[in-house]
Amino acid sequence: MTDVRIVDLPDVAIACRESGPPDGPPLVLLHALGERASDWDGVLPALAPGHRAYALDLRGHGDSGRAAVYSLEAMRDDVLAVLDALGLDRVDLVGHSMGGAVGYLLAQARPERIGRLVLEEIPPPFPRPASAVPDAPQEPVDFDWAVVRPLKAQVDTPDPAWREGLRRITAPTLVVAGGPTSHVSQERIADLAALIPDCRTVTIDAGHLVHAARPAEYVAAVAPFLAV
């Protein structure tokens, strides 16, 4: 059974989908840009059946509120505030793409709060050539399009401190790469793994949407890591 609660923070309301045994160790799941917490539903029952799972809609997405400010740091701070509001001192965390960036920012800022960390298809914060931001689509989308421009600017020109901060992550970390069909440089994903002290990598030839495209393989790789 999945329960949905809204956590009211000072500048935004964050929606959280809770499932799993109430007394299980807590697991936080963070989705990619343009997705929402229910994106994890296809893998969650088998991914961590013993955990109490908290899948968040990040600000501007899904059932969470739209906000005046969008940044990876604001999303990181939202997640930390939700953990505080729910009384969760230490959690395992799984993040995909944008959610992975939020996850590694949290793990480097507050390493004592993260037990195990899974980063799916996210490169390290290295500068990259900027490209044009597309116009908002004509059809409705399930997130605030205003998220796109500021987050893309941060990904194109990241704070150099984020890269050095990866070395402060103390959580055992699993990096999940999507293989040659992903649009994300697999060499860069390897660079991310090399910067995190206690890190291993698994490649599943699925493209960028690993847990959606190859759910069984994803669960087979990630569930034992979370179960340790």
Side-chain angles (χ1 to χ4, degrees):
M1 179 178 178
T2 299
D3 298 319
V4 179
R5 78 161 81 187
I6 303 296
V7 180
D8 288 315
L9 304 181
D11 65 336
V12 70
I14 299 295
C16 176
R17 293 168 62 88
E18 298 182 27
S19 60
D23 59 348
L27 171 68
V28 171
L29 300 108
L30 305 178
H31 60 76
L33 176 67
E35 299 291 345
R36 59 185 300 160
S38 58
D39 179 58
W40 297 105
D41 287 355
V43 295
L44 190 52
L47 185 65
H51 282 69
R52 181 66 172 176
Y54 301 84
L56 306 186
D57 285 336
L58 294 166
R59 65 168 54 200
H61 290 76
D63 293 327
S64 288
R66 279 40 181 165
V69 173
Y70 290 114
S71 70
L72 293 171
E73 298 100 326
M75 292 178 175
R76 173 201 64 197
D77 293 346
D78 290 344
V79 175
L80 183 59
V82 169
L83 299 188
D84 290 343
L86 299 180
L88 303 175
D89 292 331
R90 185 174 173 87
V91 302
D92 294 335
L93 189 148
V94 176
H96 174 220
S97 196
M98 178 188 76
V102 176
Y104 71 57
L105 289 181
L106 178 54
Q108 64 181 246
R110 298 296 300 274
E112 77 282 2
R113 303 296 294 269
I114 306 299
R116 289 185 168 265
L117 180 64
V118 178
L119 303 174
E120 177 188 345
E121 273 285 298
I122 178 69
F126 290 180
R128 68 181 190 182
S131 58
V133 177
D135 294 331
Q138 295 296 317
E139 64 276 8
V141 292
D142 200 20
F143 69 105
D144 186 355
W145 193 259
V147 173
V148 176
R149 186 178 300 275
L151 264 65
K152 184 179 181 302
Q154 287 194 297
V155 171
D156 290 344
T157 310
D159 185 337
W162 295 354
R163 177 180 175 183
E164 289 306 311
L166 294 171
R167 303 183 191 278
R168 297 197 301 271
I169 294 175
T170 58
T173 301
L174 177 66
V175 168
V176 180
T181 57
S182 171
H183 70 272
V184 177
S185 165
Q186 301 298 287
E187 291 183 1
R188 281 289 185 248
I189 291 178
D191 290 337
L192 173 72
L195 288 166
I196 298 173
D198 183 3
C199 187
R200 70 185 87 162
T201 305
V202 61
T203 298
I204 300 171
D205 189 6
H208 187 56
L209 307 177
V210 182
H211 68 273
R214 298 285 176 85
E217 291 91 332
Y218 184 84
V219 168
V222 177
F225 177 77
L226 293 173
V228 173

